[in-house]
C-alpha cells in the first residue's frame, strides 16, 4: 500500500528498540510503513519528539507499548500526540495494548484515581480515540471523554490451550482468588471444562485494601462539659450522643481449593502477571492437591523484578502471555515463558476504524462478563 495515499499513518512513540517490535508487526500486517519520527531522551531525561513527515489532515495511529519505565513511556506518548496535534493531524488514535496505571482505578484512603488522571492527560494532549486490550477493570472506559475500544485477548489464549496443551480436555480452569472467578468461568464455559477457585489466600486482595470509607471519624477536642461521660477506653463518637456500629474486621479462612484438581492439568487465568508471588503460592497449593501440570495464562506479562527466577524455581510448568508488553529479556532468563502474538487483532482494529467499518466483528460472542 502506498502510505502517501492511504490517508493514515502509523507511528511508534517508543524510544526503546525492543518496544517497537509490536508496531513493526502491526504495520507489516497492514501493508504500510512505520511513520518517520525520532523519539529520544535528552541528557537531563526530558523527552523530545521530532516528526519527520507531514501529517496535515491525516488520521494518525500511535502505537505505544509500555516497558518497565512506565512514566517515560507515558511522556513519550503525550509528547508525540501533542506534536501531531500541533502539526494539524486530523485524528490522533492511541493504540495502547496495556493501559498503564489501570490497577489504580479505585479510590483508596487519601489516595487518588490515577487512571482517571491519565485519561484526562491523554485527551488534553490531543488523542481522540483509544484502542486497548483487557483493561484491568472495564469501568475504566467511563473515565474517558472519547471512544475506547477494549479488545479481548481470550480468543488467542483459548486457541493456545486447544492447540499447545496436550490432553487439555483433562484440564481444569483455576481462579487464584474469588475476585478472578468471573474471568475463569468465562474460559471454563468456552472450553467446556471444570472450574476451581482458590480461597483464603494469605495476602490481602485488592478489594480488601483500605479506602476512604474506612477512615476514622474526626475527634473534636472539647474543653467544656458535653453532658456525656465516656466509659474508660472508649473514643468520642463523631457527634455527642450517637454511637455508630463498628464493622467487624475481615479474617481470611485457611487456604482452600473449591473444586477437585487431583490428577488434572490446572490452568490459572488472569489479566496481568506482574509480581508472581501469588501465582507461585497458588501453584504450590494446586500441586499439594494433586494437579500434575500447572499453566498460567495472562494477557499482560509485566513480569517485574525477580519474576523470571521465581517462575523458573517454582512448580509452574509454563507461563503464557501475549506481546502487549515487551518481555524478551525475561524469556531469555526463563524458558518457561511463552508468547502469543495479538498483532492480528490490533491491525484489524486499525483497519476497521480507518475505513469506518463496524467493530462488532472483533467482539462477537463477547459478553459483558468477559
Amino acid at each position: 500500500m502506498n502510505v502517501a495515499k492511504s490517508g493514515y499513518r502509523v507511528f511508534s512513540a517508543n524510544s526503546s528498540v525492543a518496544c517497537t517490535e509490536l508496531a513493526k508487526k502491526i504495520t507489516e500486517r497492514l501493508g504500510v510503513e512505520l511513520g518517520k519520527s525520532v523519539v529520544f531522551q535528552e541528557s537531563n531525561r526530558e523527552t523530545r519528539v521530532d516528526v519527520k513527515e507531514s501529517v496535515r489532515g491525516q488520521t494518525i495511529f500511535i502505537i505505544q507499548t509500555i516497558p518497565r519505565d512506565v512514566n517515560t513511556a507515558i511522556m513519550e506518548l503525550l509528547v508525540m500526540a501533542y506534536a501531531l496535534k500541533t502539526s494539524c493531524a486530523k485524528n490522533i488514535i492511541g493504540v495502547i495494548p496495556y493501559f498503564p496505571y489501570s490497577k489504580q482505578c479505585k479510590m483508596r484512603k487519601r489516595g487518588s484515581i490515577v487512571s482517571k488522571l491519565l485519561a484526562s492527560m491523554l485527551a488534553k494532549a490531543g488523542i481522540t480515540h483509544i484502542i486497548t486490550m483487557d483493561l484491568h477493570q472495564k469501568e475504566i472506559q467511563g473515565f474517558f471523554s472519547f471512544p475506547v475500544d477494549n479488545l479481548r485477548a481470550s480468543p488467542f489464549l483459548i486457541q493456545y490451550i486447544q492447540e499447545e496443551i496436550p490432553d487439555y480436555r483433562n484440564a481444569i480452569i483455576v481462579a487464584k482468588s474469588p475476585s478472578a472467578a468471573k474471568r475463569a468461568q468465562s474460559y471454563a464455559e468456552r472450553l467446556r471444562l471444570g472450574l476451581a477457585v482458590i480461597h483464603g489466600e494469605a495476602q490481602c486482595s485488592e478489594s480488601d485494601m483500605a479506602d476512604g470509607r474506612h477512615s476514622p471519624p474526626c475527634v473534636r477536642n472539647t474543653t467544656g462539659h458535653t453532658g456525656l461521660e465516656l466509659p474508660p477506653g472508649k473514643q468520642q463518637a463523631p457527634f455527642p450522643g450517637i454511637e455508630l456500629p463498628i464493622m467487624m474486621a475481615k479474617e481470611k479462612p485457611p487456604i482452600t481449593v473449591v473444586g477437585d484438581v487431583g490428577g488434572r492439568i490446572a490452568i490459572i487465568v488472569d489479566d496481568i502477571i506482574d509480581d508472581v508471588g501469588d501465582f507461585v503460592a497458588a501453584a504450590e497449593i494446586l500441586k499439594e492437591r494433586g494437579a500434575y501440570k500447572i499453566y498460567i495464562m495472562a494477557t499482560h506479562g509485566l513480569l517485574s523484578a525477580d519474576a523470571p527466577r521465581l517462575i523458573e524455581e517454582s512448580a509452574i510448568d509454563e507461563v503464557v502471555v501475549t506481546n502487549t508488553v515487551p518481555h524478551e529479556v525475561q524469556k531469555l532468563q526463563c524458558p518457561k515463558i511463552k508468547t502469543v502474538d495479538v498483532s492480528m487483532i490490533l491491525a484489524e482494529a486499525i483497519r476497521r476504524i480507518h475505513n469506518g467499518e463496524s467493530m462488532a466483528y472483533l467482539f462477537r460472542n463477547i459478553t459483558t462478563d468477559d
Side-chain angles (χ1 to χ4, degrees), residues 115-365:
S115 54
K116 173 74 166 67
L117 171 64
L118 183 54
S120 301
M121 292 167 65
L122 293 172
K124 192 68 175 178
I127 289 180
T128 57
H129 193 149
I130 275 187
I131 302 170
T132 187
M133 181 168 281
D134 281 338
L135 287 170
H136 185 58
Q137 298 287 343
K138 291 186 290 293
E139 293 78 9
I140 292 175
Q141 295 176 78
F143 295 159
F144 294 87
S145 58
F146 49 76
V148 176
D149 287 309
N150 182 28
L151 304 176
R152 304 296 196 274
S154 52
F156 296 90
L157 296 176
I158 288 173
Q159 184 181 37
Y160 184 94
I161 292 172
Q162 293 173 323
E163 296 179 355
E164 302 297 332
I165 298 182
D167 195 24
Y168 83 93
R169 290 293 182 187
N170 188 38
I172 186 168
I173 304 298
V174 180
K176 69 178 179 65
S177 65
S179 61
K182 191 172 288 186
R183 181 184 300 272
Q185 181 182 357
S186 174
Y187 276 75
E189 290 175 352
R190 281 169 166 75
L191 290 164
R192 278 62 171 176
L193 299 176
L195 176 67
V197 180
I198 298 176
H199 180 49
E201 62 267 48
Q203 76 287 346
C204 292
S205 66
E206 185 182 349
S207 59
D208 293 333
M209 294 175 65
D211 59 20
R213 291 171 295 179
H214 300 295
S215 298
C218 298
V219 179
R220 285 192 254 174
N221 293 323
T222 57
T223 55
H225 180 63
T226 62
L228 291 173
E229 296 296 332
L230 297 176
K234 205 156 192 179
Q235 292 185 353
Q236 172 71 51
F239 297 101
I242 297 178
E243 183 70 27
L244 297 177
I246 299 175
M247 177 65 75
M248 293 182 63
K250 289 184 178 181
E251 183 175 338
K252 289 185 178 292
I255 294 179
T256 57
V257 178
V258 182
D260 182 16
V261 299
R264 312 284 286 278
I265 300 171
I267 304 175
I268 305 173
V269 297
D270 212 335
D271 61 328
I272 299 172
I273 176 168
D274 187 5
D275 180 5
V276 299
D278 297 353
F279 294 93
V280 170
E284 291 176 357
I285 293 297
L286 293 170
K287 277 288 186 182
E288 291 175 4
R289 298 296 192 277
Y292 70 91
K293 269 195 174 182
I294 298 169
Y295 291 81
I296 295 177
M297 317 290 292
T299 304
H300 309 297
L302 305 186
L303 302 170
S304 302
D306 292 333
R309 179 182 61 81
L310 294 174
I311 292 170
E312 187 65 25
E313 297 173 356
S314 72
I316 299 170
D317 292 282
E318 197 168 280
V319 174
V320 183
V321 294
T322 72
N323 56 344
T324 57
V325 177
H327 52 265
E328 293 305 316
V329 174
Q330 291 91 326
K331 287 180 68 175
L332 293 175
Q333 297 171 343
C334 177
K336 292 182 179 181
I337 301 172
K338 308 297 180 183
T339 306
V340 174
D341 181 24
V342 293
S343 62
M344 179 189 302
I345 192 171
L346 294 169
E348 181 63 14
I350 291 173
R351 189 192 68 80
R352 286 177 174 269
I353 289 173
H354 171 64
N355 292 333
E357 299 177 19
S358 171
M359 296 285 284
Y361 178 78
L362 303 182
F363 293 96
R364 63 194 186 283
N365 298 327

Side-chain angles (χ1 to χ4, degrees), residues 32-102:
V32 301
E33 295 178 5
L34 200 59
K36 297 179 177 63
S37 64
V38 179
V39 183
F40 61 97
Q41 312 298 319
E42 299 274 15
S43 57
N44 61 354
R45 303 300 296 164
E46 287 185 359
T47 297
R48 182 178 290 276
V49 172
D50 289 329
V51 180
K52 299 295 186 179
E53 57 185 290
S54 174
V55 296
R56 183 178 295 273
Q58 299 269 339
T59 295
I60 306 298
F61 293 87
I62 308 174
I63 301 173
Q64 181 70 330
T65 53
I66 307 297
R68 289 188 178 185
D69 192 353
V70 176
N71 296 329
T72 297
I74 291 172
M75 279 306 301
E76 290 171 348
L77 176 60
L78 293 172
V79 175
M80 170 72 84
Y82 192 67
L84 295 167
K85 177 184 177 181
T86 54
S87 299
C88 300
K90 182 180 178 182
N91 292 307
I92 304 170
I93 301 171
V95 183
I96 314 171
Y98 167 64
F99 191 77
Y101 287 99
S102 59

